Amino acid sequence: MTSQHNKTSVAAISIFASGGMAAAKFVVGVAIGSLALISEALHSSVDLVATIITWAVVRVSDKPADDEHHYGHGKLESISALGVTALLYVLAGGILVEAYSRLREGTPPPTISAIPFVVLVIDIVVNLWRARALHRAARETRSQALAADALHFASDVMGSFAVIVGLILAGLGFWWGDAAAAAAVAVMIAALGLRMAGSTVQTLVDRAPEGAQEKATAAIRSVPGVIGVERLRVRMVGATTFIDTIAKVPRTYPIDRVEEIKRKVQAAVDKAFGDADLTFTPVPVARDNETVRDRIMVIARNSSLAVHHVTVHDLGAKLIVSIDLEVDAGMRLDAAHDVANTLERNIQEEFGADVEVDVHIEPLEPELPFGVDAAPERVQTIAAALTEYAAGSEIHDIHNVRVRNTDAGEIVNFHCRATPSMSVIKVHEHVDAIERALRRAFPSVKRVISHAEPPRT
C-alpha cells in the first residue's frame, strides 16, 4: 500500500467516525439539556470539518512538483492545519461565552441517565482508536495534516472525560458541574489550537526542524572527499526535507570524482532523513597538504592544457618549475609560444613573480591509430628480441607480448617482472633501455608500451 493511499484511507475512515459520533452526542446533549455534551458534539463537528479538509488536502499534497509549484504541494497541509486552528478558537470562544452565561444565570442541571454515559464511553473508545491510527499514519508518511487530526481525536478523549465528570457532578446536585465541564472543554480546545498553531506557523515560515541542521551536516561531512560544509539550509515542505548546501571539496579532484561525492552525499542524507531533496553545490578549495605540483596541475587543468613531467626545484629563496606542455602538432610556433607564456604568467600569479618557469613545448601525442594484430611469427620474433635485450638486467620473464600493425608503424605491448624491492625509477631505467634497443633493431616499431610487475607469489 502506498503512503498516499494509506493517508487518504485513514482520513476517509475518520470522516465517517467523526460524523456518527458528533451526531450522537449532539442529539443526546439536546435531549438532556447538557451544555458540556453539546459543546463536545460541536467540538466533534469541527473535527469532522477538519477531517474532511484533511481528506481533501492529502489527496493533493503528495502531488509531485510542477511548473508552478517547484517545491511540491506539501504546504497545503500546513495551510489546512492553520484553518482548522482558527475554527477551534471560534468554537472555544463560543462555548466559553455560553458557559459563563449559564453559570451567571444559574441554569438548571441536565437530566441524568445512562444514555449519555454510554455514548461518551463509545466516543472515548472510537477516538482512542482513531487517534492511534492517525498518529501511526502521520508518523509513517510525515503528514502534518494527519498529525493535527490525530491530536484532535486525542483531545476529544480528554473532552469526553471532562463531560463525564460534569454530568457526575450535576447528578450529585452540583448545578454548575455541566457548565464548568463545558468551560473545561473550551479551555482544552484552546490549548489544542495554540499547540497546533505554533507547529504550523513554524513550518509555514520555514523554520528548520529541531536538530535537522546538525543531522544533515553530520551526514554530509561523513562522505569521503567533503572537506567541510560552508553553508547549509533545511526546510520542510509536507513530508519532504529540502536541503540546500555548499560543501568544500578538493580542487585537485576531477569532475567525475566530484559527481561521485554528490551521489554519496545524496545517499547519506536520504539515509538520515528518509525523503530528502538535496541541492548540492561543490566549492573547490586548496587543502593544507596540497603540493606545489598539485597546484600547478590545477592551473593547467583550469586552462585545459595537457602537461607532464612537472619538476619543482626549491632553492630556498627561489622556486624553479619545469614543465612539458603538449600542444596540437599543427599549431604555429607563435601561437604555441603564446599558450606557454600564458601558463607561465598563471603560475607566477599563484607563486609570485620571482618564480622561474621553463616550459618545453612538444606535439600532443596523437591517439594510437587503428591497426590489426601482427602474424604469430612476427610476435615470436619481437618476443625473442625483448627476452634477449632483458638478459643480464634486473628485468625478467617477458610475457604477454602483443604486436599491432598500423599505418604509423608497429605498436608493441609487453609485460615483464622485476624485483619487488626495486624503486620505480630503477625499473623505468631498465625497461626504457630494453625499449630503445628494440626500436633500434626494428625501425618499423613506432611505439613500445611496457608494464612492469612484481613476481608472482
Side-chain angles (χ1 to χ4, degrees):
M1 181 181 292
T2 64
S3 61
Q4 169 68 16
H5 180 69
N6 187 29
K7 286 201 291 187
T8 54
S9 297
V10 172
I13 293 172
S14 295
I15 290 175
F16 294 104
S18 296
M21 294 312 303
K25 287 187 287 188
F26 186 79
V27 170
V28 174
V30 172
I32 67 174
S34 170
L35 176 62
L37 194 52
I38 293 173
S39 300
E40 185 57 27
L42 293 174
H43 183 196
S44 296
S45 298
V46 172
D47 286 344
L48 174 60
V49 173
T51 306
I52 294 174
I53 294 174
T54 300
W55 179 79
V57 166
V58 296
R59 293 173 65 88
V60 179
S61 62
D62 276 356
K63 287 184 177 181
D66 53 35
D67 292 339
E68 296 180 348
H69 305 86
H70 297 177
Y71 291 93
H73 301 76
K75 284 291 179 71
L76 288 175
E77 294 196 12
S78 300
I79 294 173
S80 71
L82 203 60
V84 171
T85 301
L87 288 176
L88 289 175
Y89 275 112
V90 171
L91 175 62
I95 293 173
L96 283 174
V97 170
E98 181 62 22
Y100 174 75
S101 175
R102 293 199 176 196
L103 289 171
R104 185 183 60 185
E105 297 173 1
T107 303
T111 304
I112 304 302
S113 68
I115 295 177
F117 291 100
V118 172
V119 170
L120 288 169
V121 170
I122 294 174
D123 181 63
I124 290 172
V125 173
V126 171
N127 283 331
L128 284 174
W129 173 82
R130 287 188 299 173
R132 182 180 178 185
L134 284 166
H135 179 70
R136 183 168 57 248
R139 186 175 62 246
E140 292 173 354
T141 61
R142 295 204 290 179
S143 169
Q144 191 172 34
L146 288 184
D149 225 10
L151 195 58
H152 285 164
F153 295 131
S155 71
D156 282 351
V157 173
M158 299 302 297
S160 296
F161 274 118
V163 175
I164 289 175
V165 171
L167 292 176
I168 291 174
L169 289 174
L172 294 175
F174 298 96
W175 64 269
W176 47 263
D178 182 64
V185 170
V187 171
M188 282 187 285
I189 293 173
L192 169 66
L194 182 62
R195 179 178 175 182
M196 282 182 55
S199 173
T200 303
V201 169
Q202 288 180 6
T203 301
L204 287 172
V205 298
D206 289 330
R207 178 177 180 179
E210 188 72 26
Q213 186 171 24
E214 293 77 9
K215 184 163 51 170
T217 301
I220 294 170
R221 291 183 65 92
S222 69
V223 176
V226 174
I227 298 176
V229 176
E230 185 173 298
R231 189 193 72 188
L232 188 139
R233 295 184 295 191
V234 183
R235 67 185 299 203
M236 289 292 298
V237 178
T240 304
T241 305
F242 285 84
I243 301 173
D244 179 4
T245 183
I246 297 176
K248 299 176 182 179
V249 298
R251 66 174 182 170
T252 55
Y253 280 8
I255 294 176
D256 56 347
R257 181 77 178 274
V258 175
E259 187 63 27
E260 181 185 358
I261 291 175
K262 180 179 178 180
R263 289 195 298 269
K264 289 182 177 179
V265 169
Q266 179 69 66
V269 297
D270 281 342
K271 182 178 180 181
F273 291 92
D275 181 16
D277 189 305
L278 174 69
T279 300
F280 181 81
T281 304
V283 176
V285 296
R287 290 182 294 183
D288 295 337
N289 61 348
E290 198 173 87
T291 65
V292 172
R293 187 180 184 280
D294 289 335
R295 294 163 67 182
I296 292 173
M297 295 300 292
V298 169
I299 294 170
R301 187 170 63 245
N302 290 342
S303 301
S304 300
L305 298 179
V307 299
H308 64 278
H309 286 172
V310 178
T311 58
V312 180
H313 296 144
D314 189 353
L315 303 183
K318 192 172 186 179
L319 194 66
I320 301 176
V321 177
S322 300
I323 305 172
D324 285 358
L325 169 65
E326 297 182 51
V327 298
D328 189 283
M331 181 181 289
R332 288 168 51 95
L333 177 60
D334 52 356
H337 189 259
D338 289 340
V339 173
N341 283 341
T342 300
L343 177 60
E344 291 178 4
R345 286 196 301 270
N346 291 339
I347 293 174
Q348 289 171 342
E349 288 177 1
E350 176 76 13
F351 296 98
D354 57 341
V355 63
E356 183 179 310
V357 184
D358 293 315
V359 178
H360 168 65
I361 303 173
E362 62 181 46
L364 184 66
E365 188 72 26
E367 293 186 7
L368 293 179
F370 175 78
V372 295
D373 290 336
E377 296 80 9
R378 181 62 173 176
V379 176
Q380 291 176 2
T381 301
I382 296 293
L386 288 169
T387 301
E388 178 185 348
Y389 303 143
S393 72
E394 297 186 55
I395 301 299
H396 59 278
D397 189 14
I398 304 294
H399 61 284
N400 197 16
V401 179
R402 289 147 290 151
V403 181
R404 190 171 76 252
N405 293 323
T406 72
D407 293 337
E410 291 178 306
I411 308 297
V412 176
N413 297 71
F414 72 92
H415 288 199
C416 61
R417 300 189 190 280
T419 304
S421 59
M422 284 182 65
S423 65
V424 173
I425 186 64
K426 277 292 186 183
V427 174
H428 178 73
E429 290 174 354
H430 285 292
V431 172
D432 193 45
I434 295 171
E435 294 175 0
R436 289 196 303 270
L438 183 68
R439 284 196 297 270
R440 284 195 301 267
F442 298 89
S444 59
V445 172
K446 170 67 175 178
R447 187 176 180 188
V448 182
I449 304 170
S450 61
H451 172 71
E453 55 194 12
R456 293 177 179 173
T457 56

Short mmCIF file of all heavy atoms in Angstrom, two decimals, residues 70-71 141-142 209 212 215-217 219-220 232-245 262-280:
data_model
loop_
_atom_site.label_atom_id
_atom_site.label_comp_id
_atom_site.label_asym_id
_atom_site.label_seq_id
_atom_site.Cartn_x
_atom_site.Cartn_y
_atom_site.Cartn_z
N HIS A 70 7.33 24.56 -7.51
CA HIS A 70 8.65 23.94 -7.64
C HIS A 70 9.01 23.09 -6.44
O HIS A 70 9.87 22.21 -6.55
CB HIS A 70 9.71 25.01 -7.87
CG HIS A 70 9.51 25.78 -9.14
ND1 HIS A 70 10.31 26.83 -9.51
CD2 HIS A 70 8.59 25.65 -10.14
CE1 HIS A 70 9.90 27.32 -10.66
NE2 HIS A 70 8.86 26.63 -11.06
N TYR A 71 8.40 23.34 -5.29
CA TYR A 71 8.68 22.56 -4.09
C TYR A 71 7.55 21.60 -3.76
O TYR A 71 7.43 21.14 -2.63
CB TYR A 71 8.93 23.49 -2.90
CG TYR A 71 10.23 24.26 -3.00
CD1 TYR A 71 10.26 25.53 -3.56
CD2 TYR A 71 11.42 23.71 -2.55
CE1 TYR A 71 11.45 26.24 -3.67
CE2 TYR A 71 12.61 24.41 -2.65
CZ TYR A 71 12.62 25.66 -3.20
OH TYR A 71 13.80 26.36 -3.31
N THR A 141 4.05 8.61 7.17
CA THR A 141 4.03 9.47 5.97
C THR A 141 4.55 10.87 6.23
O THR A 141 4.65 11.67 5.31
CB THR A 141 2.60 9.57 5.40
OG1 THR A 141 1.75 10.16 6.39
CG2 THR A 141 2.07 8.18 5.04
N ARG A 142 4.82 11.18 7.52
CA ARG A 142 5.27 12.52 7.93
C ARG A 142 4.29 13.59 7.43
O ARG A 142 4.68 14.62 6.91
CB ARG A 142 6.68 12.79 7.42
CG ARG A 142 7.70 11.86 8.04
CD ARG A 142 9.08 12.44 8.01
NE ARG A 142 9.63 12.49 6.67
CZ ARG A 142 10.83 12.98 6.39
NH1 ARG A 142 11.58 13.47 7.34
NH2 ARG A 142 11.27 12.99 5.15
N PRO A 209 13.54 22.15 11.11
CA PRO A 209 13.13 21.19 12.14
C PRO A 209 14.22 21.03 13.19
O PRO A 209 15.41 21.18 12.91
CB PRO A 209 12.93 19.89 11.35
CG PRO A 209 12.69 20.32 9.94
CD PRO A 209 13.50 21.57 9.76
N ALA A 212 17.68 19.23 12.73
CA ALA A 212 17.86 18.83 11.32
C ALA A 212 19.19 19.33 10.77
O ALA A 212 19.86 18.62 10.01
CB ALA A 212 16.71 19.37 10.48
N LYS A 215 22.03 17.15 12.03
CA LYS A 215 22.00 15.82 11.44
C LYS A 215 22.42 15.85 9.97
O LYS A 215 23.16 14.98 9.51
CB LYS A 215 20.58 15.23 11.56
CG LYS A 215 20.47 13.82 11.05
CD LYS A 215 19.24 13.08 11.53
CE LYS A 215 17.95 13.80 11.32
NZ LYS A 215 16.77 12.95 11.57
N ALA A 216 21.98 16.86 9.23
CA ALA A 216 22.35 16.98 7.82
C ALA A 216 23.83 17.26 7.67
O ALA A 216 24.50 16.68 6.80
CB ALA A 216 21.52 18.07 7.14
N THR A 217 24.36 18.14 8.51
CA THR A 217 25.79 18.46 8.44
C THR A 217 26.64 17.23 8.72
O THR A 217 27.63 16.97 8.02
CB THR A 217 26.14 19.57 9.45
OG1 THR A 217 25.36 20.74 9.16
CG2 THR A 217 27.61 19.92 9.39
N ALA A 219 25.78 14.11 8.28
CA ALA A 219 25.65 13.16 7.16
C ALA A 219 26.52 13.57 5.99
O ALA A 219 27.18 12.73 5.36
CB ALA A 219 24.18 13.07 6.73
N ILE A 220 26.56 14.87 5.68
CA ILE A 220 27.35 15.35 4.54
C ILE A 220 28.84 15.23 4.82
O ILE A 220 29.62 14.79 3.97
CB ILE A 220 26.96 16.80 4.21
CG1 ILE A 220 25.51 16.85 3.72
CG2 ILE A 220 27.89 17.39 3.16
CD1 ILE A 220 24.96 18.25 3.59
N LEU A 232 24.54 25.56 4.99
CA LEU A 232 23.51 24.52 4.93
C LEU A 232 22.18 25.10 5.37
O LEU A 232 22.10 25.75 6.42
CB LEU A 232 23.89 23.32 5.80
CG LEU A 232 22.98 22.09 5.66
CD1 LEU A 232 23.82 20.81 5.67
CD2 LEU A 232 21.94 22.04 6.77
N ARG A 233 21.13 24.88 4.57
CA ARG A 233 19.79 25.35 4.91
C ARG A 233 18.82 24.18 4.78
O ARG A 233 18.92 23.38 3.84
CB ARG A 233 19.36 26.49 3.99
CG ARG A 233 20.21 27.74 4.15
CD ARG A 233 19.72 28.89 3.31
NE ARG A 233 19.84 28.63 1.89
CZ ARG A 233 19.67 29.56 0.95
NH1 ARG A 233 19.38 30.80 1.30
NH2 ARG A 233 19.79 29.27 -0.32
N VAL A 234 17.91 24.09 5.74
CA VAL A 234 16.94 22.99 5.76
C VAL A 234 15.54 23.57 5.89
O VAL A 234 15.30 24.50 6.67
CB VAL A 234 17.21 22.03 6.95
CG1 VAL A 234 16.23 20.86 6.92
CG2 VAL A 234 18.64 21.51 6.91
N ARG A 235 14.61 23.02 5.12
CA ARG A 235 13.20 23.41 5.23
C ARG A 235 12.35 22.18 4.98
O ARG A 235 12.75 21.25 4.29
CB ARG A 235 12.84 24.52 4.24
CG ARG A 235 12.90 24.08 2.80
CD ARG A 235 12.67 25.18 1.81
NE ARG A 235 11.38 25.81 1.94
CZ ARG A 235 10.78 26.48 0.96
NH1 ARG A 235 11.37 26.58 -0.22
NH2 ARG A 235 9.61 27.02 1.13
N MET A 236 11.15 22.19 5.58
CA MET A 236 10.19 21.10 5.39
C MET A 236 9.05 21.58 4.51
O MET A 236 8.50 22.66 4.72
CB MET A 236 9.63 20.62 6.73
CG MET A 236 10.62 19.86 7.59
SD MET A 236 11.07 18.25 6.89
CE MET A 236 9.47 17.43 6.88
N VAL A 237 8.71 20.78 3.51
CA VAL A 237 7.52 21.01 2.68
C VAL A 237 6.76 19.70 2.66
O VAL A 237 7.15 18.75 1.99
CB VAL A 237 7.89 21.45 1.25
CG1 VAL A 237 6.62 21.64 0.42
CG2 VAL A 237 8.70 22.73 1.26
N GLY A 238 5.68 19.64 3.44
CA GLY A 238 4.97 18.38 3.57
C GLY A 238 5.86 17.37 4.26
O GLY A 238 6.43 17.63 5.32
N ALA A 239 6.00 16.19 3.63
CA ALA A 239 6.83 15.14 4.21
C ALA A 239 8.26 15.17 3.69
O ALA A 239 9.07 14.35 4.08
CB ALA A 239 6.21 13.78 3.89
N THR A 240 8.58 16.11 2.80
CA THR A 240 9.90 16.15 2.18
C THR A 240 10.80 17.16 2.87
O THR A 240 10.39 18.29 3.13
CB THR A 240 9.78 16.50 0.68
OG1 THR A 240 8.92 15.57 0.03
CG2 THR A 240 11.15 16.46 0.02
N THR A 241 12.03 16.74 3.15
CA THR A 241 13.04 17.63 3.72
C THR A 241 13.90 18.17 2.58
O THR A 241 14.56 17.40 1.87
CB THR A 241 13.93 16.87 4.72
OG1 THR A 241 13.12 16.26 5.72
CG2 THR A 241 14.91 17.83 5.39
N PHE A 242 13.88 19.48 2.40
CA PHE A 242 14.69 20.12 1.37
C PHE A 242 15.98 20.61 2.02
O PHE A 242 15.95 21.36 3.01
CB PHE A 242 13.94 21.29 0.73
CG PHE A 242 12.87 20.86 -0.23
CD1 PHE A 242 11.61 20.52 0.23
CD2 PHE A 242 13.14 20.78 -1.60
CE1 PHE A 242 10.61 20.12 -0.65
CE2 PHE A 242 12.16 20.38 -2.48
CZ PHE A 242 10.89 20.05 -2.01
N ILE A 243 17.11 20.19 1.46
CA ILE A 243 18.43 20.54 2.00
C ILE A 243 19.22 21.25 0.91
O ILE A 243 19.39 20.73 -0.19
CB ILE A 243 19.19 19.29 2.48
CG1 ILE A 243 18.39 18.58 3.58
CG2 ILE A 243 20.58 19.67 2.98
CD1 ILE A 243 18.99 17.26 4.00
N ASP A 244 19.68 22.45 1.23
CA ASP A 244 20.48 23.25 0.30
C ASP A 244 21.84 23.48 0.95
O ASP A 244 21.92 24.08 2.02
CB ASP A 244 19.78 24.58 0.04
CG ASP A 244 20.56 25.50 -0.88
OD1 ASP A 244 21.62 25.08 -1.38
OD2 ASP A 244 20.12 26.64 -1.10
N THR A 245 22.90 22.97 0.33
CA THR A 245 24.21 23.06 0.97
C THR A 245 25.30 23.45 -0.02
O THR A 245 25.23 23.13 -1.21
CB THR A 245 24.59 21.71 1.63
OG1 THR A 245 25.83 21.86 2.31
CG2 THR A 245 24.73 20.62 0.58
N LYS A 262 28.87 13.87 -4.86
CA LYS A 262 27.48 14.35 -4.81
C LYS A 262 26.51 13.19 -4.65
O LYS A 262 25.57 13.26 -3.86
CB LYS A 262 27.17 15.15 -6.06
CG LYS A 262 25.75 15.68 -6.11
CD LYS A 262 25.50 16.49 -7.38
CE LYS A 262 24.06 16.98 -7.44
NZ LYS A 262 23.81 17.77 -8.67
N ARG A 263 26.72 12.11 -5.39
CA ARG A 263 25.83 10.95 -5.28
C ARG A 263 25.89 10.34 -3.88
O ARG A 263 24.87 9.94 -3.32
CB ARG A 263 26.21 9.90 -6.33
CG ARG A 263 25.86 10.29 -7.77
CD ARG A 263 25.93 9.09 -8.68
NE ARG A 263 27.27 8.53 -8.73
CZ ARG A 263 28.21 8.89 -9.61
NH1 ARG A 263 27.94 9.81 -10.50
NH2 ARG A 263 29.40 8.31 -9.60
N LYS A 264 27.08 10.28 -3.32
CA LYS A 264 27.23 9.70 -1.99
C LYS A 264 26.59 10.60 -0.92
O LYS A 264 26.04 10.10 0.07
CB LYS A 264 28.70 9.46 -1.68
CG LYS A 264 29.31 8.33 -2.50
CD LYS A 264 30.76 8.08 -2.13
CE LYS A 264 31.33 6.91 -2.90
NZ LYS A 264 32.76 6.65 -2.56
N VAL A 265 26.69 11.91 -1.11
CA VAL A 265 26.04 12.84 -0.17
C VAL A 265 24.53 12.67 -0.23
O VAL A 265 23.85 12.67 0.80
CB VAL A 265 26.45 14.30 -0.48
CG1 VAL A 265 25.57 15.27 0.29
CG2 VAL A 265 27.91 14.53 -0.14
N GLN A 266 23.97 12.52 -1.44
CA GLN A 266 22.53 12.29 -1.58
C GLN A 266 22.11 11.03 -0.84
O GLN A 266 21.09 11.00 -0.14
CB GLN A 266 22.16 12.18 -3.06
CG GLN A 266 20.68 11.92 -3.32
CD GLN A 266 19.79 13.08 -2.96
OE1 GLN A 266 19.85 14.13 -3.58
NE2 GLN A 266 18.95 12.91 -1.94
N ALA A 267 22.89 9.96 -0.99
CA ALA A 267 22.58 8.71 -0.30
C ALA A 267 22.66 8.89 1.21
O ALA A 267 21.84 8.33 1.96
CB ALA A 267 23.53 7.61 -0.76
N ALA A 268 23.63 9.68 1.69
CA ALA A 268 23.79 9.89 3.13
C ALA A 268 22.62 10.66 3.73
O ALA A 268 22.11 10.30 4.80
CB ALA A 268 25.11 10.63 3.41
N VAL A 269 22.15 11.71 3.05
CA VAL A 269 21.03 12.48 3.59
C VAL A 269 19.72 11.70 3.45
O VAL A 269 18.81 11.83 4.29
CB VAL A 269 20.91 13.87 2.92
CG1 VAL A 269 22.14 14.70 3.22
CG2 VAL A 269 20.70 13.76 1.42
N ASP A 270 19.59 10.87 2.42
CA ASP A 270 18.41 10.02 2.30
C ASP A 270 18.34 9.04 3.46
O ASP A 270 17.27 8.78 4.01
CB ASP A 270 18.43 9.25 0.98
CG ASP A 270 18.00 10.10 -0.21
OD1 ASP A 270 17.37 11.16 0.04
OD2 ASP A 270 18.28 9.73 -1.35
N LYS A 271 19.49 8.50 3.84
CA LYS A 271 19.53 7.57 4.97
C LYS A 271 19.18 8.27 6.28
O LYS A 271 18.52 7.70 7.16
CB LYS A 271 20.92 6.94 5.07
CG LYS A 271 21.06 5.91 6.17
CD LYS A 271 22.46 5.30 6.18
CE LYS A 271 22.60 4.27 7.30
NZ LYS A 271 23.97 3.69 7.32
N ALA A 272 19.60 9.53 6.40
CA ALA A 272 19.36 10.27 7.65
C ALA A 272 17.93 10.79 7.76
O ALA A 272 17.36 10.82 8.85
CB ALA A 272 20.35 11.44 7.76
N PHE A 273 17.32 11.18 6.62
CA PHE A 273 16.01 11.84 6.66
C PHE A 273 14.89 11.04 6.00
O PHE A 273 13.73 11.41 6.12
CB PHE A 273 16.09 13.21 5.99
CG PHE A 273 16.91 14.20 6.75
CD1 PHE A 273 18.26 14.35 6.49
CD2 PHE A 273 16.33 14.98 7.74
CE1 PHE A 273 19.03 15.27 7.19
CE2 PHE A 273 17.09 15.91 8.44
CZ PHE A 273 18.44 16.05 8.17
N GLY A 274 15.22 9.97 5.30
CA GLY A 274 14.18 9.16 4.66
C GLY A 274 13.82 9.68 3.28
O GLY A 274 13.97 8.99 2.29
N ASP A 275 13.32 10.91 3.22
CA ASP A 275 12.93 11.51 1.94
C ASP A 275 13.51 12.91 1.89
O ASP A 275 12.97 13.83 2.50
CB ASP A 275 11.40 11.54 1.82
CG ASP A 275 10.94 12.13 0.49
OD1 ASP A 275 11.78 12.22 -0.43
OD2 ASP A 275 9.76 12.50 0.37
N ALA A 276 14.62 13.06 1.18
CA ALA A 276 15.32 14.35 1.14
C ALA A 276 15.52 14.80 -0.29
O ALA A 276 15.83 14.00 -1.17
CB ALA A 276 16.67 14.25 1.86
N ASP A 277 15.32 16.09 -0.51
CA ASP A 277 15.57 16.71 -1.81
C ASP A 277 16.80 17.59 -1.63
O ASP A 277 16.76 18.61 -0.95
CB ASP A 277 14.37 17.53 -2.26
CG ASP A 277 14.49 18.01 -3.70
OD1 ASP A 277 15.51 18.66 -4.01
OD2 ASP A 277 13.58 17.75 -4.50
N LEU A 278 17.93 17.16 -2.23
CA LEU A 278 19.22 17.81 -1.97
C LEU A 278 19.64 18.72 -3.11
O LEU A 278 19.57 18.33 -4.28
CB LEU A 278 20.30 16.74 -1.75
CG LEU A 278 21.74 17.24 -1.60
CD1 LEU A 278 21.90 17.99 -0.28
CD2 LEU A 278 22.71 16.08 -1.68
N THR A 279 20.05 19.93 -2.77
CA THR A 279 20.74 20.81 -3.71
C THR A 279 22.18 20.94 -3.22
O THR A 279 22.44 21.52 -2.16
CB THR A 279 20.08 22.20 -3.77
OG1 THR A 279 18.72 22.07 -4.20
CG2 THR A 279 20.82 23.11 -4.73
N PHE A 280 23.10 20.36 -3.99
CA PHE A 280 24.50 20.24 -3.56
C PHE A 280 25.38 21.09 -4.47
O PHE A 280 25.44 20.86 -5.68
CB PHE A 280 24.95 18.78 -3.61
CG PHE A 280 26.36 18.54 -3.16
CD1 PHE A 280 26.67 18.44 -1.81
CD2 PHE A 280 27.38 18.42 -4.09
CE1 PHE A 280 27.97 18.21 -1.40
CE2 PHE A 280 28.69 18.19 -3.69
CZ PHE A 280 28.98 18.09 -2.34
#
